[in-house]
């Protein structure tokens, strides 16, 4: 049976970035490192791209080669020890898609997210009934058990908005996400009331791109940009599509999607006008 691939975590990404920095700092290629340590270049590539956590003896060999002094050496070893721990997972999440569980872990450790959605209410802002209707519609072949597992995971994820140091969220939606009557008028009425409530939270910013705005930069699809508390942890982009889930972290991609989000902010209704639109839609659905 094939081995389940190591899911990336914030700490694993930080460890990978630090090992890349140390290697380039001593001006060694991966081939040079392999020649000095016997570590396979493919293995080193997987370590430096956060595909796997290095074994302790492998990590020590790398630290020796890079001549890493204390206390930095101890800090890196401690970082590696906790690098495999997913930040927030429940036992049943092992049955969810691997990319989704990785996303859940990143989201739980994020400081802020910028989320654009073209067709859905953002997952963190969905009511339970709306989430259930969406999941049933998007995954028509899923069993009742699978649907309920995903609904439970989606609802539990929302704890990041209510914790002591809540996640800061800036959500932009196309008006189509609000106009599509998912689950029927009653479900959408409840969903609009929920959006009206969360829009008043100080750590939340909601905007809608009105139909009248015409074509805009978000039309190709939805995306999430996540940033983390530590400056050493680079931002990450998550894209969910029918072709599969994708994580991007190259600086060029982060800049590009950041610029797209800024453009969407500019063409969207203001937060106050967005709240007025949500209240109007809730009244229509009542």
């Amino acid at each position: 049976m094939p081995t389940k691939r190591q899911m990336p975590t914030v700490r694993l990404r930080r460890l990978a970035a630090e090992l890349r920095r140390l290697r380039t700092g001593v001006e060694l290629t991966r081939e040079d490192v392999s020649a000095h340590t016997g570590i396979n270049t493919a293995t080193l590539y997987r370590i430096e791209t956060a595909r796997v956590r290095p074994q302790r003896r492998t990590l020590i060999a790398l630290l020796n080669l890079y001549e890493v002094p204390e206390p930095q050496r101890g800090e890196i070893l401690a970082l590696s020890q906790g690098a495999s721990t997913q930040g927030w997972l429940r036992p049943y999440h092992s049955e969810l898609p691997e990319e989704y569980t990785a996303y859940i872990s990143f989201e739980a450790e994020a400081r802020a997210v910028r989320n654009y959605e073209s067709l859905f209410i953002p997952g963190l802002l969905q009511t339970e009934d709306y989430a259930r209707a969406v999941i049933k519609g998007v995954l028509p072949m899923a069993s009742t058990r699978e649907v309920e597992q995903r609904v439970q995971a989606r609802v539990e994820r929302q704890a990041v908005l209510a914790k002591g140091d809540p996640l800061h969220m800036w959500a932009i939606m196309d008006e189509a996400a609000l106009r599509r009557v998912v689950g029927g008028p009653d479900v959408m009425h409840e969903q609009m009331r929920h959006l009206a409530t969360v829009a008043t939270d100080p750590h939340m910013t909601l905007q809608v791109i009105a139909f009248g705005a015409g074509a805009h930069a978000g039309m190709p699809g939805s995306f999430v940009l996540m940033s983390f508390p530590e400056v050493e942890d680079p931002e990450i982009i998550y894209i969910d599509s029918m072709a599969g889930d994708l994580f991007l972290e190259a600086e060029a991609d982060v800049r590009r999607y950041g610029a797209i989000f800024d453009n969407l902010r500019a063409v969207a209704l203001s937060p106050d006008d967005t709240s007025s639109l949500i209240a109007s839609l809730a009244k229509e659905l009542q």
Side-chain angles (χ1 to χ4, degrees):
M1 188 166 76
T3 302
K4 191 171 183 178
R5 184 169 67 86
Q6 169 88 55
M7 280 294 100
T9 66
V10 172
R11 289 176 292 278
L12 187 60
R13 290 174 66 234
R14 188 188 307 166
L15 175 64
E18 182 64 11
L19 291 176
R20 289 196 307 270
R21 186 190 67 79
L22 290 170
R23 178 176 58 80
T24 57
V26 293
E27 299 182 345
L28 293 175
T29 66
R30 292 194 184 103
E31 289 73 18
D32 294 333
V33 173
S34 180
H36 282 87
T37 64
I39 300 171
N40 185 279
T41 54
T43 299
L44 186 58
Y45 170 79
R46 295 176 70 206
I47 290 171
E48 290 189 351
T49 54
R51 264 61 171 185
V52 296
R53 180 174 68 90
Q55 295 181 355
R56 183 177 176 84
R57 65 175 180 274
T58 299
L59 181 57
I60 289 175
L62 293 174
L63 298 179
N64 289 340
L65 178 62
Y66 304 152
E67 298 182 351
V68 179
E70 293 290 357
Q72 185 182 11
R73 171 184 290 256
E75 292 169 355
I76 293 174
L77 289 170
L79 178 62
S80 177
Q81 191 171 11
S84 296
T85 304
Q86 297 283 349
W88 182 95
L89 288 177
R90 302 290 186 266
Y92 71 87
H93 289 169
S94 61
E95 300 180 36
L96 297 173
E98 291 182 346
E99 290 79 5
Y100 187 39
T101 59
Y103 178 82
I104 290 173
S105 182
F106 284 140
E107 184 181 71
E109 298 188 56
R111 174 183 58 83
V113 298
R114 288 168 284 169
N115 185 186
Y116 166 71
E117 294 290 344
S118 56
L119 295 174
F120 305 102
I121 304 300
L124 286 177
L125 307 182
Q126 294 177 6
T127 65
E128 184 174 339
D129 287 339
Y130 178 95
R132 184 174 291 106
V134 163
I135 293 166
K136 285 182 178 178
V138 172
L139 301 173
M141 304 304 291
S143 67
T144 300
R145 180 171 177 271
E146 290 170 334
V147 169
E148 291 306 314
Q149 282 183 338
R150 286 177 177 256
V151 171
Q152 186 176 355
R154 192 159 300 184
V155 171
E156 288 176 350
R157 281 172 49 203
Q158 297 172 6
V160 298
L161 299 175
K163 61 185 181 179
D165 183 15
L167 178 74
H168 289 258
M169 184 175 188
W170 194 314
I172 301 177
M173 297 165 278
D174 192 282
E175 187 174 346
L178 276 65
R179 293 282 184 182
R180 184 173 299 279
V181 184
V182 173
D186 290 344
V187 170
M188 284 304 297
H189 178 252
E190 180 189 6
Q191 179 64 70
M192 291 302 107
R193 291 184 60 187
H194 180 62
L195 287 180
T197 299
V198 298
T200 64
D201 292 342
H203 57 277
M204 179 71 61
T205 302
L206 292 186
Q207 287 184 273
V208 170
I209 300 177
F211 285 149
H216 59 80
M219 292 177 72
S222 305
F223 60 90
V224 180
L225 292 92
M226 285 183 271
S227 57
F228 302 93
E230 301 296 332
V231 295
E232 297 88 351
D233 300 325
E235 292 182 308
I236 191 169
I237 301 155
Y238 174 74
I239 301 171
D240 181 9
S241 72
M242 293 186 71
D245 298 351
L246 181 65
F247 290 101
L248 303 174
E249 55 184 319
E251 289 185 13
D253 290 324
V254 171
R255 285 196 302 269
R256 179 162 60 93
Y257 276 90
I260 290 172
F261 195 86
D262 288 342
N263 180 271
L264 295 175
R265 288 192 310 174
V267 302
L269 297 174
S270 69
D272 286 344
D273 288 342
T274 293
S275 294
S276 296
L277 175 60
I278 291 170
S280 175
L281 291 174
K283 189 174 181 179
E284 290 178 17
L285 290 161
Q286 191 168 18

